[in-house]
Amino acid sequence: MFKKRSLLLLVISLLSFLGLPLISNAQEKVTVYLFYGDGCPHCENAKTFFESLAKDDEYKDLFQLNALEIWKNKSNSTIADKAAVAMGDEALEGRVPYIVIGSKTWKGYSNKSNDALKEAIKNTYDDADFVDPLQDIVPMGSTSENSGNNVLPVVILIVAIALLGGTIYLARKE
């Protein structure tokens, strides 16, 4: 009787462990890439827009901002040029701001772009098949407050290991 119970607990634990990736694999946030120049007023306006959007209940869980300064940081400038070319645009050569959301790009920024930027965030977030073309080109720079929180997967992993360990302990005890 005890061996059947232990075996049942082990099977349930293993199934729970296998199902955890489905629970923890919540929709990933869209990375909004903002290449900017320190002192550029249009860049500051774009940063302010994204920072306020990061506090908006409708958008705060949909995206993370990856802002890289390219006028004073030559390494970031090189990365920005590679990113622009990867997106099918000409190298930036210091022209800012340059914004990438999903498969869409913006050269420059004005308040008139806000609705299109929001729409691009939502559409990219809703596209389950989207693969970020810049994920291997652009390292995560300074991000807004809503950048991804990696605590949940760690907690889930710890719980899964504890469940599995407890089940094995009970099985051996019997």
Side-chain angles (χ1 to χ4, degrees):
M1 176 73 169
F2 287 113
K3 290 201 178 232
K4 286 183 181 179
R5 186 173 138 216
S6 295
L7 183 59
L8 180 63
L9 282 172
L10 178 62
V11 169
I12 290 171
S13 294
L14 287 174
L15 289 175
S16 297
F17 182 72
L18 292 174
L20 284 174
L22 299 174
I23 295 169
S24 67
N25 202 9
Q27 187 81 6
E28 283 197 33
K29 292 180 180 183
V30 172
T31 300
V32 172
Y33 298 95
L34 171 62
F35 299 97
Y36 70 96
D38 190 29
C40 165
H42 301 291
C43 299
E44 280 304 312
N45 291 338
K47 282 174 67 174
T48 300
F49 166 72
F50 286 117
E51 288 168 357
S52 68
L53 200 60
K55 296 173 185 167
D56 183 303
D57 287 339
E58 186 177 355
Y59 290 91
K60 67 181 181 183
D61 295 327
L62 303 184
F63 80 100
Q64 61 185 2
L65 179 62
N66 187 2
L68 288 94
E69 199 288 327
I70 68 169
W71 282 355
K72 296 179 180 176
N73 185 319
K74 294 300 175 195
S75 176
N76 283 350
S77 181
T78 301
I79 291 168
D81 286 339
K82 287 180 184 177
V85 170
M87 295 304 297
D89 294 326
E90 293 179 13
L92 299 181
E93 297 177 351
R95 292 185 302 265
V96 290
Y98 181 69
I99 301 166
V100 179
I101 303 173
S103 60
K104 298 193 180 288
T105 63
W106 287 261
K107 297 173 190 169
Y109 171 82
S110 78
N111 290 337
K112 294 177 183 176
S113 306
N114 291 355
D115 288 339
L117 294 167
K118 289 178 184 179
E119 183 180 345
I121 290 169
K122 280 187 175 184
N123 289 345
T124 304
Y125 183 83
D126 290 339
D127 183 357
D129 296 326
F130 176 74
V131 177
D132 185 346
L134 300 182
Q135 67 185 356
D136 295 330
I137 297 172
V138 183
M140 287 305 288
S142 59
T143 58
S144 65
E145 292 177 19
N146 72 331
S147 61
N149 186 346
N150 295 325
V151 173
L152 181 61
V154 172
V155 169
I156 290 173
L157 182 62
I158 290 170
V159 169
I161 291 170
L163 277 172
L164 186 59
T167 303
I168 292 170
Y169 173 77
L170 287 174
R172 288 185 176 182
K173 188 176 178 182
E174 297 173 359

